[in-house]
């Protein structure tokens, strides 16, 4: 990720081009719930923010499609997406619309509305014990790659700019690639993951 500092401060506006979006990064929590000050290394990297400007849209075939997010929307984006810039005294990110995972309609991640080909999954609880009954530590628990689909995006665009609906539906139990997507912790303590539909390997029944 590239950081531009003084270069950006001398300008009064940033206008994203094409299918790019300018997002004001959500401030990282500097304290725990108990008021303990966190060092920079312990602060979780933000993956969300507020859309402050959008480009004119994506050109497909002979038409231009509008950006699917609007100014003011609270969004979640891929962890390593975009270029970070300091602008107007605050951190912003310029990224492609496709790097936006979904729209947050409440403060709770479980209410995420996925975009494009993204799938939002509640992760199955990891096994607490081995088959022999030994209690597992957090570090030794196998990371689950099975979960229940909470919500799905409308689907990717084809070459004509038409939406192709996903073959995965809310309520499906799915097997997904172990190291894919973005991990989130809900306010209820549950683990969630947002990933592309192509990272879902099978529907289980």
């Amino acid at each position: 990720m590239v950081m531009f500092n003084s270069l950006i401060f001398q300008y009064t506006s940033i206008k994203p081009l094409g299918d790019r979006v300018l997002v004001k990064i959500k401030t990282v929590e500097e304290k725990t719930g108990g008021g303990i000050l966190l060092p920079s290394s312990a602060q979780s990297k933000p993956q969300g923010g507020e859309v402050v400007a959008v480009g004119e849209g994506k050109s497909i075939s002979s038409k231009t499609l509008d950006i699917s997010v609007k100014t003011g929307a609270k969004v979640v984006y891929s962890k390593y997406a975009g270029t970070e810039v300091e602008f107007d005294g605050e951190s912003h990110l310029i990224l492609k619309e496709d790097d936006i995972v979904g729209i947050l309609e409440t403060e709770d991640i479980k209410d995420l509305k996925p975009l494009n080909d993204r799938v939002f999954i509640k992760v199955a609880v990891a096994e607490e014990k081995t088959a022999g009954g030994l209690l597992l530590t957090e570090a030794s628990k196998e990371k689950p790659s099975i979960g229940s689909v909470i919500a799905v995006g409308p689907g990717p665009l084809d070459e004509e700019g038409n939406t192709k609906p996903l073959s995965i539906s809310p309520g499906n139990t799915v097997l997904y690639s172990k190291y894919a997507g973005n991990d989130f912790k809900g306010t209820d303590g549950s683990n969630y993951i947002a990933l592309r539909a192509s990272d879902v390997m099978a529907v289980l029944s």
Side-chain angles (χ1 to χ4, degrees):
M1 189 174 287
V2 181
M3 177 75 76
F4 298 96
N5 289 315
S6 57
L7 176 66
I8 297 300
F9 286 131
Q10 60 184 298
Y11 300 105
T12 56
S13 68
I14 300 178
K15 171 61 178 172
L17 298 178
D19 62 342
R20 289 178 174 79
V21 176
L22 181 66
V23 175
K24 183 168 72 173
I25 300 173
K26 183 178 179 181
T27 306
V28 178
E29 291 292 332
E30 295 185 353
K31 292 184 178 181
T32 65
I36 298 171
L37 194 64
L38 292 169
S40 295
S41 59
Q43 294 171 17
S44 57
K45 177 180 169 65
Q47 295 178 51
E50 180 181 344
V51 176
V52 294
V54 300
E56 62 271 18
K58 185 175 186 177
S59 295
I60 295 182
S61 191
S62 59
K63 56 186 176 181
T64 300
L65 301 177
D66 290 338
I67 301 284
S68 59
V69 294
K70 305 301 180 187
T71 301
K74 303 291 191 299
V75 297
V76 174
Y77 47 80
S78 298
K79 191 177 295 184
Y80 301 108
T83 298
E84 192 173 329
V85 294
E86 289 288 338
F87 172 67
D88 203 20
E90 298 184 272
S91 295
H92 290 71
L93 200 65
I94 298 177
L95 62 154
K96 285 182 170 288
E97 179 190 17
D98 189 53
D99 289 323
I100 296 177
V101 172
I103 298 172
L104 266 180
E105 298 183 327
T106 72
E107 290 297 313
D108 196 339
I109 192 66
K110 72 178 177 61
D111 297 320
L112 181 76
K113 179 183 175 184
L115 295 180
N116 302 318
D117 62 341
R118 296 309 204 289
V119 179
F120 190 55
I121 295 168
K122 183 176 182 179
V123 178
V125 178
E127 290 295 327
E128 300 281 343
K129 293 182 179 181
T130 65
L134 293 175
L135 195 64
L136 293 170
T137 63
E138 285 296 325
S140 62
K141 289 178 186 177
E142 179 71 15
K143 180 181 176 182
S145 53
I146 294 174
S148 178
V149 176
I150 303 297
V152 300
L157 299 176
D158 63 19
E159 294 177 357
E160 300 298 320
N162 300 311
T163 301
K164 295 166 57 179
L166 299 178
S167 58
I168 305 160
S169 304
N172 285 160
T173 299
V174 294
L175 176 70
Y176 55 86
S177 299
K178 186 174 289 188
Y179 301 107
N182 293 56
D183 298 305
F184 303 98
K185 176 78 76 173
T187 56
D188 60 355
S190 298
N191 292 313
Y192 296 88
I193 188 168
L195 38 72
R196 293 188 183 276
S198 58
D199 290 319
V200 176
M201 298 185 289
V203 175
L204 309 176
S205 61

